[in-house]
Amino acid sequence: QVHLVESGGGLVQAGGSLRLSCAASGRTSSMYGMGWFRQAPGKEREFVAAISWSGGNTDYADSVKGRFTISRDNTKNKNTVYLHMDSLKPEDTAVYYCAVGRTYYSTSYYRAPHEYDYWGQGIQVTVSS
């Protein structure tokens, strides 16, 4: 089992920045890709960003490319993924979820929710206009 806890959400004005963190604990000895998804009211959960186990490969949704940056820290006792969000827009308002998926390849990253095995509880990000 892997337990994920997100932090760093909140209320920000349009054009502002936030950094989300997601700390993984439990059985984190395996390689795993990590990702961020979001769900706005009345909409389906959508992919935001993903990063490989190595950290050298990333992927972004077109809607956030150039504004959001995903990174991770795999050092001992700090299995954490970050999502740095700049130039935030009201349409970025959503509950953000981090997720991890076991992988055999250190360079793999995933967009599809079914590729992920564990999910965080979600954290609210609200961008005011």
Side-chain angles (χ1 to χ4, degrees):
Q1 282 287 87
V2 175
H3 185 56
L4 302 173
V5 178
E6 298 107 334
S7 60
L11 173 65
V12 64
Q13 287 189 329
S17 300
L18 279 176
R19 189 180 79 158
L20 304 182
S21 300
C22 175
S25 61
R27 296 188 64 180
T28 57
S29 58
S30 301
M31 288 198 300
Y32 50 91
M34 303 186 82
W36 287 96
F37 292 76
R38 66 186 182 187
Q39 187 167 17
K43 296 187 176 181
E44 293 187 354
R45 189 172 298 189
E46 65 174 359
F47 168 76
V48 175
I51 189 167
S52 62
W53 165 253
S54 68
N57 302 86
T58 57
D59 187 25
Y60 297 92
D62 288 344
S63 59
V64 307
K65 200 171 292 183
R67 300 188 298 120
F68 290 12
T69 303
I70 188 171
S71 61
R72 67 186 294 169
D73 184 347
N74 289 347
T75 56
K76 187 177 180 180
N77 298 325
K78 195 173 182 182
N79 297 296
T80 303
V81 64
Y82 304 96
L83 185 68
H84 190 91
M85 305 182 291
D86 289 323
S87 303
L88 282 161
K89 304 175 181 180
E91 50 263 45
D92 294 318
T93 295
V95 176
Y96 283 71
Y97 299 88
C98 71
V100 303
R102 289 184 297 268
T103 180
Y104 293 105
Y105 306 103
S106 64
T107 57
S108 295
Y109 51 87
Y110 308 104
R111 285 194 167 212
H114 71 261
E115 297 284 1
Y116 292 88
D117 303 296
Y118 302 100
W119 294 79
Q121 80 285 354
I123 192 164
Q124 179 70 44
V125 171
T126 303
V127 184
S128 62
S129 57

